[in-house]
Amino acid sequence: MTKTIYLAAGCFWGAQHYLKQIRGIVNTTTGFANGDDPEKNPTYEEVYTDQTGYAETVMVEYDPERLPLRKLLELYFMSIDPTSVNQQGEDSGTRYRTGIYYIDQADYPTIMEVYRNVQHGYSSPLAVEVEPLKVFHPASEYHQDYLEKHPDGYCHLPEALFEFARKSNADNLY
């Protein structure tokens, strides 16, 4: 049985690439979450204007037997600057905000436990939204698995993070 959670981590190209390398992730889809008009299926170009309220987000399907939510969220927090408002790396705008959007209310206590643990490491408040998922619209095929299709494509995440994900899988750290 798999579970699903939605993670906004700045540019979804790198976030998806990172998450896919973590053992226990079954499937990922890039898209747009929690915008102002849930009925509108926005294009990338529309979201890019920062006028839609949508955040670039990765839908993450995972096997909780192999990858507990707590570990998934700890790995997620490693990939973001959790105190940065509407910016990750050089990417800025509301579409690049960070967020954890859940569909299972039973996940909320675990999310908040990890959130509080991460907060202890910072003097500034965390800027990561924690909200129920209101809506998610998949991005076009062009934006799915972008860095696999374009290995030299832009990514705000350091290569060392991808290497960490690959090594942690091999080292059976979780």
Side-chain angles (χ1 to χ4, degrees):
M1 182 180 107
T2 62
K3 291 195 70 173
T4 304
I5 196 153
Y6 298 77
L7 302 174
C11 177
F12 54 24
W13 294 343
Q16 180 184 40
H17 189 69
Y18 169 66
L19 291 163
K20 285 183 75 167
Q21 296 177 67
I22 299 170
R23 185 181 51 141
I25 301 291
V26 175
N27 186 46
T28 60
T29 302
T30 59
F32 311 107
N34 287 14
D36 297 334
D37 183 356
E39 300 301 315
K40 178 159 179 59
N41 186 359
T43 65
Y44 178 81
E45 291 74 20
E46 289 169 328
V47 173
Y48 196 81
T49 68
D50 277 340
Q51 300 300 308
T52 65
Y54 280 93
E56 289 194 15
T57 303
V58 180
M59 179 183 76
V60 179
E61 294 175 70
Y62 66 100
D63 178 350
E65 296 294 318
R66 296 181 67 207
L67 179 62
L69 179 58
R70 176 176 283 104
K71 179 52 77 175
L72 172 56
L73 293 174
E74 289 169 355
L75 291 165
Y76 161 75
F77 274 105
M78 291 179 66
S79 71
I80 63 170
D81 173 352
T83 63
S84 182
V85 177
N86 297 331
Q87 182 170 353
Q88 291 295 302
E90 297 300 314
D91 298 321
S92 64
T94 58
R95 67 192 173 278
Y96 296 123
R97 70 185 181 271
T98 53
I100 301 168
Y101 309 120
Y102 56 93
I103 55 175
D104 184 350
Q105 185 63 35
D107 290 340
Y108 184 76
T110 300
I111 294 167
M112 291 313 298
E113 179 185 342
V114 172
Y115 192 96
R116 284 188 295 273
N117 288 342
V118 171
Q119 178 62 72
H120 288 303
Y122 292 89
S123 57
S124 300
L126 300 188
V128 179
E129 296 178 335
V130 176
E131 300 177 353
L133 180 75
K134 296 174 196 158
V135 63
F136 178 81
H137 296 289
S140 67
E141 182 57 34
Y142 176 82
H143 296 285
Q144 304 300 328
D145 302 311
Y146 183 86
L147 291 179
E148 289 177 22
K149 298 175 203 170
H150 305 93
D152 294 328
Y154 167 77
C155 181
H156 71 287
L157 296 175
E159 180 59 38
L161 189 62
F162 301 133
E163 187 64 26
F164 171 80
R166 287 189 289 269
K167 285 184 177 179
S168 66
N169 291 335
D171 295 340
N172 197 22
L173 294 176
Y174 52 89

